[in-house]
């Protein structure tokens, strides 16, 4: 599989337009202005060789150490380089010689463009199933990201386990990938083009939940999802009734056992999310609003880099949504994609109990 993927992304694909389906270019959400501005500074040759299915830009990045699994041409690395700042650092790991050569060629260009005195980006050759073998240290990264790459691995469990290993305590795996509505047959898995197009290797979404638990992560939090259409009759006929979505999940390396609900107030200090922080499809936190969160989310917020961005209150007293009841507990990305398709982006929000609203939370 590794040889086939190297060949597909190193030799067969020369440009985004060479893709046979739209799986690797599926947009899942509007791009915020500050991210668009960061992407404009990325060298056009890097952007032309970009293949991704989502937007892997978690919040609260200043000063963070980030690892990009399957960094390809380096587009996401160079974009994130600007967001972590000169005191942060971004490492990309990829197994494809051609992509790594392209990414490394433009390091000096980008550091000059960003006004940095020394590089805060480096690229490592290796496999995402063997991060420590590639020289990456355990407990060394705040965030691991991946954009439409995990599906290309023949051993997803090992990828998750390696990501867990290199993350610091409280760290996050934030990644977009392609998921299927069932387990792909062996016949389809052996189809080289469909594997290269990120479809034949797609996980059944329920298997992700199980694998994440097995390696130690917190229960995956579904952020957003978008239906993927193949738009290639020959390939669609081969796939039969299988359906696909592009979905973004966030998984955290936090202590186990805390399942008590909590009241939290978002303080509004995250760059690009000063007014509201879209944590996942269940919770969008508005600045200075009181929201009761489930135990898993309370545990994440307490033990991750987000701890300083929230004020935590004991349970008790009036709380609850003001007006529209928030959507609760969606795990199925197909269900979320349907909801977003009907209601439009931004329709899924958390509680809206303002500390300043009469008759609400005080």
């Amino acid at each position: 599989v590794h040889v086939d993927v190297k060949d597909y992304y190193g030799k067969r694909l020369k440009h985004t337009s060479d893709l046979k389906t739209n799986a690797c270019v599926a947009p899942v959400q509007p791009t915020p202005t500050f991210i668009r501005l960061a992407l404009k500074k990325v060298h056009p040759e890097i952007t032309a060789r970009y293949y991704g299915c989502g937007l892997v830009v978690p919040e609260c990045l200043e000063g963070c150490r980030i690892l990009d699994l399957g960094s390809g041409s380096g587009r996401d690395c160079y974009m994130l380089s600007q967001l972590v700042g000169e005191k942060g650092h971004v490492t990309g790991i990829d197994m494809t010689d051609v992509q790594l050569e392209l990414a490394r060629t433009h390091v000096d260009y980008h550091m000059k463009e960003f006004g940095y005195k020394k590089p805060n980006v480096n690229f490592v050759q290796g496999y995402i199933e063997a991060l420590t073998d590639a020289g990456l240290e355990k407990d060394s990264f705040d965030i691991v990201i991946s954009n439409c790459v995990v599906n290309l691995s023949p051993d997803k469990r090992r990828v998750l386990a390696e990501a867990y290993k290199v993350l610091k305590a409280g760290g996050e795996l934030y990644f977009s990938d392609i998921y299927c509505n069932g387990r792909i047959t062996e016949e389809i898995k052996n189809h080289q083009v469909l594997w290269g197009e990120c479809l034949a290797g797609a996980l059944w979404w329920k298997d992700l939940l199980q694998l994440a638990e097995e390696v130690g992560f917190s229960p995956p939090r579904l952020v957003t999802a978008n239906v993927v259409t193949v738009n290639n009759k020959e390939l669609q006929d081969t796939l039969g009734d299988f359906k696909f979505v592009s979905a973004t999940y966030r998984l955290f390396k936090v202590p186990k056992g805390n399942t008590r609900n909590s009241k939290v107030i978002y303080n509004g200090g995250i760059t690009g999310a000063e007014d509201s922080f879209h944590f996942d499809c269940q919770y969008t936190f508005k600045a200075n609003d009181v929201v009761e969160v489930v135990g898993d989310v309370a545990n994440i917020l307490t033990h991750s880099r987000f701890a300083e961005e929230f004020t935590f209150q004991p349970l008790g007293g009036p709380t609850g949504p003001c007006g529209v009841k928030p959507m609760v507990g969606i795990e199925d990305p197909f269900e979320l994609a349907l909801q977003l398709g009907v209601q439009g982006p931004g329709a899924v929000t958390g509680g809206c109990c303002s500390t300043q609203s009469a008759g609400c939370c005080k």
Side-chain angles (χ1 to χ4, degrees):
V1 171
H2 286 149
V3 173
D4 290 340
V5 172
K6 280 184 180 181
D7 181 74
Y8 202 76
Y9 285 87
K11 299 178 182 178
R12 298 181 64 175
L13 297 183
K14 301 298 183 183
H15 193 277
T16 306
S17 60
D18 294 331
L19 292 163
K20 306 298 182 186
T21 73
N22 68 357
C24 296
V25 294
V28 294
Q29 61 194 72
T31 304
T33 301
F34 74 100
I35 297 176
R36 286 203 305 272
L37 293 175
L39 287 171
K40 282 184 178 179
K41 292 186 177 182
V42 177
H43 195 285
E45 190 177 1
I46 297 291
T47 303
R49 293 291 295 268
Y50 164 74
Y51 316 110
C53 64
L55 186 66
V56 286
V57 188
E59 308 77 13
C60 204
L61 299 180
E62 293 91 340
C64 284
R65 287 181 53 82
I66 298 178
L67 173 64
D68 182 5
L69 303 181
S71 51
S73 68
R75 190 204 77 155
D76 287 341
C77 290
Y78 287 123
M79 177 259 293
L80 291 167
S81 164
Q82 301 168 73
L83 303 184
V84 300
E86 203 162 4
K87 293 182 179 179
H89 193 274
V90 183
T91 296
I93 183 169
D94 204 279
M95 65 180 179
T96 308
D97 294 332
V98 173
Q99 294 280 63
L100 282 168
E101 182 181 356
L102 175 63
R104 289 167 174 164
T105 297
H106 295 290
V107 170
D108 290 342
Y109 166 88
H110 287 100
M111 296 307 104
K112 183 177 180 180
E113 182 74 15
F114 305 158
Y116 292 170
K117 294 180 181 178
K118 62 179 182 179
N120 72 341
V121 176
N122 74 301
F123 297 94
V124 175
Q125 184 158 30
Y127 297 102
I128 62 175
E129 303 92 346
L131 300 179
T132 50
D133 290 348
L136 302 177
E137 296 182 4
K138 298 178 182 179
D139 307 310
S140 61
F141 292 97
D142 299 291
I143 303 165
V144 174
I145 67 163
S146 177
N147 198 340
C148 208
V149 170
V150 176
N151 67 82
L152 295 172
S153 170
D155 191 345
K156 276 78 167 173
R157 187 187 190 282
R158 191 171 174 188
V159 173
L160 295 182
E162 285 288 297
Y164 188 89
K165 192 183 300 183
V166 300
L167 279 170
K168 299 177 183 177
E172 176 182 15
L173 171 59
Y174 186 98
F175 71 115
S176 293
D177 219 308
I178 303 296
Y179 295 92
C180 190
N181 62 340
R183 291 195 179 102
I184 299 289
T185 64
E186 290 301 317
E187 180 182 1
I188 293 176
K189 285 182 180 180
N190 291 326
H191 195 293
Q192 290 187 7
V193 171
L194 285 173
W195 191 279
E197 293 286 325
C198 304
L199 296 171
L203 268 180
W204 181 30
W205 67 270
K206 288 187 177 181
D207 283 341
L208 172 68
L209 307 186
Q210 180 178 338
L211 291 176
E213 181 180 3
E214 288 177 2
V215 303
F217 279 112
S218 61
R221 302 298 305 182
L222 177 59
V223 180
T224 189
N226 183 70
V227 172
V228 170
T229 54
V230 177
N231 292 341
N232 182 308
K233 187 178 186 307
E234 180 182 352
L235 296 179
Q236 183 62 68
D237 289 344
T238 302
L239 291 167
D241 294 330
F242 284 115
K243 294 180 173 58
F244 300 88
V245 292
S246 165
T248 301
Y249 283 95
R250 54 195 333 161
L251 288 61
F252 289 84
K253 185 178 180 177
V254 293
K256 303 292 183 185
N258 183 7
T259 57
R260 296 183 61 184
N261 289 12
S262 177
K263 285 183 183 178
V264 302
I265 302 172
Y266 171 50
N267 300 325
I270 298 177
T271 301
E274 291 82 0
D275 296 326
S276 66
F277 167 27
H278 179 70
F279 178 73
D280 62 14
C281 70
Q282 185 175 350
Y283 295 105
T284 294
F285 300 103
K286 294 182 180 179
N288 302 317
D289 282 9
V290 179
V291 179
E292 182 175 333
V293 297
V294 296
D296 286 336
V297 173
N299 191 34
I300 289 169
L301 297 180
T302 303
H303 293 96
S304 69
R305 68 187 185 282
F306 297 120
E308 295 183 0
E309 308 297 337
F310 284 83
T311 300
F312 298 86
Q313 295 184 340
L315 287 177
T319 188
C322 305
V324 180
K325 187 175 182 180
M327 189 180 297
V328 176
I330 293 183
E331 292 185 328
D332 182 348
F334 289 88
E335 179 184 349
L336 178 60
L338 179 61
Q339 292 276 2
L340 293 178
V342 172
Q343 299 177 9
V348 186
T349 61
C352 57
C353 303
S354 172
T355 57
Q356 301 174 352
S357 299
C360 192
C361 301
K362 304 184 186 227

